[in-house]
């Protein structure tokens, strides 16, 4: 079987100049956009790209850069850095001299912080991948759940969050009981198997249309409010019926006896 190539991978036999996706910041509108940065034979070609910004429709000369992630050896926090586009080999971008907010300055390994999902157990964990790893790319990686190397799929966490927001189905995780999004195409591809990204539970959940659990919760609250109102009304009626009746105004007045008529003195 032939090796699968992505649109930005190098095909040495063709000798064509392919490209990697870099970013640039428009000097006019300050928007961040992607740009094709060409290379040949694993080395970037000297280039001074001029683009028409899709945000402000202005023709500008830009300085492309690659956004990478690294873990600071001092504070152990994940940070981001920008490596400018230069006519150098592609593997040079896997390390860089950085300055962290904690004061550390030195050379570190950089790359893309990706979510790797095992194709066997669907366990998901974050790994610092190669700087040129693309979203959805397949690779061999060690799975801590299977205790061996498995075929895994890399996914950008930001793209993953956006995809979760666009999900058209949802289910309740049987382990952490959280409502998790699901996509129909992914469920069909995995034959109904789902993996919770919060607690890493894997199983076959009961899937419902998006918003199902919100509607159930709303109906439960409405029934609870209606039950409370009925109970309050019933208690009010019962208190009125049990209240002792007061005597009427006529009954409350004692009968008036007529005054005796005394004879007048002569």
């Amino acid at each position: 079987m032939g090796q699968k190539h992505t649109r930005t991978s190098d095909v040495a036999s063709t000798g064509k100049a392919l490209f990697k996706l870099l970013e640039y910041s428009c000097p006019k509108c300050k928007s961040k956009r992607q740009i094709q940065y060409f290379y040949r034979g694993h080395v970037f070609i000297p280039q001074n790209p001029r683009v028409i910004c899709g945000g402000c429709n202005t023709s500008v000369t830009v300085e492309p850069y690659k956004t990478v992630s690294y873990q600071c050896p001092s504070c152990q926090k994940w940070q981001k850095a920008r490596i400018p586009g230069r006519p150098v080999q592609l593997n040079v971008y896997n390390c860089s001299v950085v300055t962290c907010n904690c004061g550390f300055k030195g050379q570190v390994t950089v790359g893309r912080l990706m979510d790797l999902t095992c194709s066997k157990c669907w366990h998901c964990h974050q790994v610092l991948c190669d700087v040129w790893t693309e979203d959805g790319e397949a690779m061999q990686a060690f799975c801590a759940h299977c205790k061996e190397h498995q075929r895994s799929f890399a996914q950008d966490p930001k793209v993953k969050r956006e995809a979760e927001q666009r999900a058209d189905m949802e289910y309740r995780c049987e382990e952490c009981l959280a409502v998790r999004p699901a996509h129909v195409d992914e469920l069909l591809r995995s034959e109904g198997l789902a993996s919770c990204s919060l607690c890493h539970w894997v199983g076959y959940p009961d899937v419902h249309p998006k918003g199902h659990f919100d509607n159930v919760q709303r109906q439960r609250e409405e029934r609870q409010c209606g039950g409370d109102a009925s109970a309050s009304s019933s208690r009010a009626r019962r208190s009125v019926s049990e209240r002792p009746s007061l005597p009427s105004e006529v009954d409350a007045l004692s009968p008036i006896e007529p005054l005796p008529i005394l004879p007048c003195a002569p």
Side-chain angles (χ1 to χ4, degrees):
M1 295 179 65
Q3 184 179 2
K4 181 180 178 181
H5 297 281
T6 61
R7 58 173 179 156
T8 61
S9 60
D10 188 12
V11 185
S13 59
T14 62
K16 295 181 180 180
L18 298 181
F19 64 90
K20 294 292 186 182
L21 292 177
L22 272 66
E23 300 172 278
Y24 72 89
S25 297
C26 177
K28 298 293 184 180
C29 64
K30 308 301 180 182
S31 63
K32 296 180 181 180
R33 308 186 71 84
Q34 289 186 331
I35 186 175
Q36 297 177 358
Y37 207 68
F38 295 93
Y39 69 95
R40 181 183 289 113
H42 300 283
V43 179
F44 281 121
I45 301 172
Q47 49 199 297
N48 189 24
R50 187 175 183 86
V51 300
I52 298 178
C53 177
C56 59
N57 200 28
T58 304
S59 178
V60 292
T61 301
V62 297
E63 298 180 357
Y65 57 86
K66 182 66 177 178
T67 302
V68 296
S69 300
Y70 70 93
Q71 189 174 25
C72 177
S74 178
C75 65
Q76 300 299 314
K77 294 182 179 180
W78 287 100
Q79 306 287 356
K80 289 184 178 294
R82 292 180 178 180
I83 303 179
R86 296 288 185 268
V88 296
Q89 293 185 354
L90 272 65
N91 57 9
V92 174
Y93 283 76
N94 288 319
C95 61
S96 178
V97 176
V98 299
T99 302
C100 182
N101 296 330
C102 68
F104 168 82
K105 183 177 181 180
Q107 183 171 318
V108 296
T109 300
V110 299
R112 292 192 67 184
L113 193 60
M114 307 286 284
D115 286 342
L116 279 187
T117 304
C118 175
S119 61
K120 183 178 181 180
C121 68
W122 295 95
H123 180 79
C124 180
H125 61 286
Q126 280 196 337
V127 178
L128 185 67
C129 300
D130 185 83
V131 68
W132 304 116
T133 303
E134 298 181 28
D135 184 55
E137 184 175 338
M139 63 182 68
Q140 289 290 329
F142 181 79
C143 176
H145 189 265
C146 298
K147 305 299 182 182
E148 60 181 345
H149 283 78
Q150 299 286 356
R151 180 179 173 86
S152 305
F153 299 94
Q155 192 171 14
D156 188 339
K158 181 179 179 181
V159 177
K160 185 178 180 179
R161 288 193 298 269
E162 295 175 352
E164 289 180 352
Q165 295 176 356
R166 297 193 303 267
D168 47 4
M169 306 291 288
E170 63 184 12
Y171 66 93
R172 186 179 295 278
C173 175
E174 297 182 6
E175 182 69 23
C176 65
L177 301 181
V179 178
R180 306 302 301 150
H183 293 268
V184 175
D185 52 350
E186 293 181 359
L187 292 173
L188 292 176
R189 184 166 56 248
S190 62
E191 298 181 351
L193 188 66
S195 173
C196 178
S197 59
L198 299 180
C199 66
H200 307 303
W201 172 83
V202 179
Y204 296 91
D206 294 331
V207 184
H208 303 275
K210 187 176 181 179
H212 167 77
F213 293 100
D214 289 340
N215 294 333
V216 172
Q217 180 66 20
R218 190 180 304 111
Q219 293 174 3
R220 185 182 296 113
E221 292 176 354
E222 290 177 355
R223 287 196 300 267
Q224 184 177 0
C225 293
D228 294 342
S230 300
S232 300
S233 177
S234 177
R235 286 195 298 269
R237 289 194 301 268
R238 187 167 56 252
S239 61
V240 171
S241 61
E242 294 176 355
R243 185 181 304 171
S245 58
L246 295 177
S248 62
E249 184 177 357
V250 176
D251 295 337
L253 296 177
S254 58
I256 302 176
E257 298 180 355
L259 297 176
I261 300 176
L262 299 177
C264 294

